[in-house]
Amino acid sequence: MAWAMQKKSPKKKAFEPPPAYVFGMGKDFYKTREWREVRYKALVKFGKKCQCCGETGGYIHVDHIQPRSKKPELELNIENLQVLCEACNIGKSNKDTTDWR
């Protein structure tokens, strides 16, 4: 009877390699190896601090200064990236192009 009450371990997901990068791809862009590498470089370069308000806690986003929707050719350019907290990034949306660096 005790064996029936034991918790089952969750099933492990099969490894899925990141999608291949294709210029102008949709939301899967954020899963690509290329994006993850340039995102990491931006975090190393600028640190884990919002460049707009100075927040250091909570979720930190790497933001495209010129939005991908308007300038897709800059989506992997580290000079087009800045570190923002979640509140500042969501508030900025893709309407503002202020460079807070």
Side-chain angles (χ1 to χ4, degrees):
M1 190 69 157
W3 61 270
M5 298 179 141
Q6 291 179 354
K7 291 183 179 179
K8 294 182 180 180
S9 60
K11 291 185 179 181
K12 293 182 180 179
K13 292 183 180 179
F15 173 75
E16 291 184 35
Y21 173 74
V22 178
F23 175 76
M25 64 191 304
K27 65 182 179 178
D28 280 344
F29 166 79
Y30 294 105
K31 296 177 185 175
T32 65
R33 181 171 189 79
E34 291 82 357
W35 165 247
R36 290 177 182 185
E37 286 177 1
V38 75
R39 178 185 183 279
Y40 179 80
K41 288 177 184 176
L43 288 169
V44 168
K45 182 175 181 176
F46 301 120
K48 188 181 181 259
K49 179 179 180 181
C50 179
Q51 295 176 294
C52 176
C53 73
E55 177 70 42
T56 58
Y59 292 109
I60 296 294
H61 294 203
V62 175
D63 170 62
H64 290 90
I65 299 165
Q66 296 290 328
R68 287 181 58 229
S69 59
K70 297 178 180 171
K71 298 268 186 157
E73 66 275 11
L74 298 176
E75 64 190 4
L76 290 173
N77 184 337
I78 195 166
E79 298 304 317
N80 187 43
L81 300 177
Q82 62 188 349
V83 176
L84 298 179
C85 68
E86 185 173 43
C88 289
N89 191 33
I90 290 172
K92 174 188 174 290
S93 185
N94 68 345
K95 310 282 189 277
D96 184 25
T97 59
T98 302
D99 184 344
W100 292 101
R101 299 173 296 166

